[in-house]
Amino acid sequence: MENSMLAITEEQGVVSDTQIKVATEVRSRSKQNLLLSEKRLYAENDWIFGGGLDKKRCGAYGVFTVTNDLTKYTKARFLNRTGKKTLVFLVFSEAAPYAGIGGMERGVCAFSTRFYTEDGIWDSVGCNLPVSFTCHPQKYLDGICSQRPKTEKARLNLAEKWNVWSLFPDSLHQIMFLMGERGIPRDYRHMHCFGCRTYNFINEEGRHFLAKFHLLTQQGILNLSVEELLRRKASYHISVQRDLYDNIKKGNHPKWKLYIQLMPEEDAGKCSFNPYDLTKVWPHKEYPLIEAGTLELQRVPIKDSVEVNNCGFCSSNLVPGIEFPSHICHYQGKTDYYWQPGAFFRLQSAEAQRRIIHNVVRELARVPEYIQIRATARFYQADRCCGEKIAKELQFEIRLILEEIEWQKEADMSMAF
């Protein structure tokens, strides 16, 4: 099995085993960070393009207009004047295409935005959920590939998906979002888009700010129920593409407002969470949304498949004033897997909580028992009431769940690079 894996390369050579521990005596921490960052870039690019050319992507050209001068935070010139316009190309895709495939109804919708700035190209990637399913760079690509059909006609098994999710304790936050009300967007125009990494802003004085990006739809949020999606079946990806293209051609140009959250870099070690951890959200009360501009899609590609499939997005395309942080989220000793997922669940209304539990049980009921127990233990650690209700629906004694939790605590602490 190990020998069949593709080698991952970095600037200094080939990394033959993607599962080995990188923390060795012969590598400095900076070299480790370089390798892990490169693997994440590779994973993001593979994630956006679905592992190969297919018909489940669509894109459109538009304009980004600055509505708030951000020069005190960044020297990126395309953000330095209110009213300034920058051409953009935005591509949507199904990062983990569950919809209409073998009864798997929920998956992540990815997006990539290319800004054609005066200083060069900036490519930003993200998805319709505000958190990633893991901050572990070594596991990121493996997890993405495990959730994708290997061929166009392949079928993805629910057991494969939940086996991966239940093994990654930090995936629970994204699962909560995915199993909630916004787990199935009706179309691309009616969903938010969230940047999938933390950036580093640098201003003219050399001061650094950590930054998170959010594209919030101005069309309003619309989602589908499981029953509505099943009626669409395999036509889902066709209908969302048609909706985008038809509305643009009619002059009904979709718009998103770009907001950023900012944190002085020197405050990163003082906050109650790790700002580099992609499985965490930044509380809006502490780090409010700052409006940056408006993105409007105005033109569909002339040759859709050619322009979308050959655009060559790459997360490492950056411009002066926007960089990657020198720090990354380290997995070693990480124990705060459950507090944000639990807080998210408790913030939901009683009806929304019921739907999350119903959607989880609906899928877990079709996977092997050992995966059911493992996954239920994750939910229990985030919120006791949530875990107890899932266990009751699956007809498990709480004793089994508590025994699994003790094993997970020991196993999770041993996870490290």
Side-chain angles (χ1 to χ4, degrees):
M1 178 64 73
E2 293 294 328
N3 292 334
S4 67
M5 298 178 67
L6 292 176
I8 302 300
T9 61
E10 45 122 346
E11 291 181 357
Q12 288 73 30
V14 176
V15 182
S16 59
D17 186 353
T18 64
Q19 300 301 319
I20 61 172
K21 292 181 182 295
V22 180
T24 62
E25 296 180 357
V26 296
R27 286 186 181 271
S28 66
R29 176 56 64 181
S30 61
K31 179 72 176 287
Q32 295 171 35
N33 289 353
L34 173 63
L35 170 59
L36 295 172
S37 295
E38 286 179 356
K39 178 163 184 179
R40 179 171 176 82
L41 287 173
Y42 177 86
E44 287 178 351
N45 297 331
D46 178 85
W47 178 49
I48 280 294
F49 292 108
L53 303 183
D54 58 40
K55 299 179 181 179
K56 295 181 180 177
R57 291 193 296 275
C58 61
Y61 295 92
V63 174
F64 171 73
T65 305
V66 176
T67 57
N68 185 15
D69 187 341
L70 298 177
T71 51
K72 64 180 178 179
Y73 303 115
T74 176
K75 59 185 176 183
R77 290 196 289 172
F78 79 99
L79 296 172
N80 68 2
R81 189 180 74 251
T82 300
K84 193 167 191 176
K85 297 182 182 296
T86 301
L87 295 178
V88 298
F89 183 45
L90 194 152
V91 170
F92 296 99
S93 62
E94 295 177 43
Y98 306 136
I101 296 179
M104 303 182 68
E105 299 87 18
R106 294 170 182 271
V108 177
C109 294
F111 79 97
S112 186
T113 309
R114 169 162 290 176
F115 294 80
Y116 296 93
T117 82
E118 59 214 273
D119 293 317
I121 288 173
W122 176 43
D123 288 340
S124 177
V125 303
C127 70
N128 64 312
L129 304 177
V131 291
S132 176
F133 72 91
T134 182
C135 72
H136 199 308
Q138 284 186 271
K139 303 295 184 183
Y140 194 89
L141 177 59
D142 308 320
I144 287 294
C145 291
S146 72
Q147 300 173 57
R148 180 187 301 131
K150 302 300 184 289
T151 67
E152 187 174 347
K153 294 183 179 180
R155 293 296 180 264
L156 190 62
N157 192 291
L158 272 173
E160 295 179 36
K161 181 181 78 170
W162 279 98
N163 184 51
V164 171
W165 281 357
S166 61
L167 285 172
F168 292 174
D170 51 349
S171 70
L172 187 61
H173 201 184
Q174 189 184 81
I175 296 171
M176 284 286 195
F177 277 100
L178 195 57
M179 294 295 149
E181 296 178 334
R182 298 186 182 182
I184 313 175
R186 195 194 75 170
D187 53 64
Y188 296 137
R189 294 184 304 118
H190 293 92
M191 74 177 195
H192 293 329
C193 302
F194 301 92
C196 67
R197 62 161 61 244
T198 300
Y199 286 97
N200 191 10
F201 270 13
I202 305 173
N203 65 15
E204 290 290 353
E205 289 72 42
R207 191 177 180 193
H208 292 232
F209 298 86
L210 301 183
K212 299 281 284 187
F213 287 85
H214 311 269
L215 278 171
L216 304 187
T217 179
Q218 299 304 290
Q219 288 72 240
I221 294 288
L222 291 177
N223 303 286
L224 297 176
S225 66
V226 172
E227 293 72 25
E228 289 172 323
L229 182 64
L230 288 175
R231 285 195 292 271
R232 293 191 181 193
K233 297 183 179 179
S235 67
Y236 175 72
H237 74 274
I238 298 175
S239 66
V240 296
Q241 291 181 19
R242 186 182 297 120
D243 173 86
L244 180 68
Y245 287 166
D246 287 351
N247 276 278
I248 292 176
K249 291 175 181 178
K250 292 175 183 176
N252 184 22
H253 299 155
K255 296 180 181 180
W256 288 262
K257 279 194 175 181
L258 176 63
Y259 292 90
I260 58 174
Q261 288 179 283
L262 292 171
M263 176 191 302
E265 189 179 45
E266 58 269 22
D267 292 351
K270 305 174 186 177
C271 58
S272 59
F273 60 96
N274 186 337
Y276 307 101
D277 187 343
L278 305 183
T279 69
K280 300 289 187 291
V281 295
W282 291 14
H284 288 189
K285 288 184 178 180
E286 298 176 43
Y287 306 98
L289 295 177
I290 301 173
E291 183 176 335
T294 301
L295 189 154
E296 179 179 329
L297 297 181
Q298 300 174 340
R299 179 174 70 83
V300 301
I302 297 174
K303 295 183 178 180
D304 178 52
S305 61
V306 175
E307 295 176 61
V308 171
N309 289 329
N310 294 301
C311 52
F313 283 105
C314 182
S315 299
S316 60
N317 288 335
L318 302 169
V319 294
I322 301 177
E323 298 180 353
F324 294 143
S326 58
H327 295 79
I328 63 173
C329 176
H330 289 288
Y331 223 71
Q332 189 169 11
K334 181 175 157 65
T335 58
D336 59 340
Y337 304 117
Y338 304 108
W339 67 273
Q340 281 203 356
F344 172 80
F345 181 81
R346 289 185 288 275
L347 282 173
Q348 306 303 302
S349 66
E351 176 60 22
Q353 290 182 1
R354 187 196 67 78
R355 282 195 294 268
I356 291 174
I357 293 171
H358 171 77
N359 292 330
V360 170
V361 171
R362 185 176 184 273
E363 293 199 2
L364 284 181
R366 292 178 280 170
V367 307
E369 183 177 287
Y370 72 94
I371 297 178
Q372 294 177 351
I373 294 174
R374 188 198 299 154
T376 303
R378 300 294 187 194
F379 285 99
Y380 189 99
Q381 291 176 84
D383 184 87
R384 180 176 177 177
C385 179
C386 177
E388 287 178 344
K389 290 182 178 179
I390 293 174
K392 181 179 180 181
E393 291 291 327
L394 295 173
Q395 299 182 357
F396 286 127
E397 295 182 13
I398 291 298
R399 172 185 57 82
L400 293 176
I401 306 304
L402 296 178
E403 289 175 357
E404 173 66 18
I405 289 174
E406 291 304 312
W407 183 90
Q408 287 182 4
K409 287 179 178 179
E410 182 177 348
D412 293 345
M413 286 299 297
S414 67
M415 297 180 71
F417 289 139

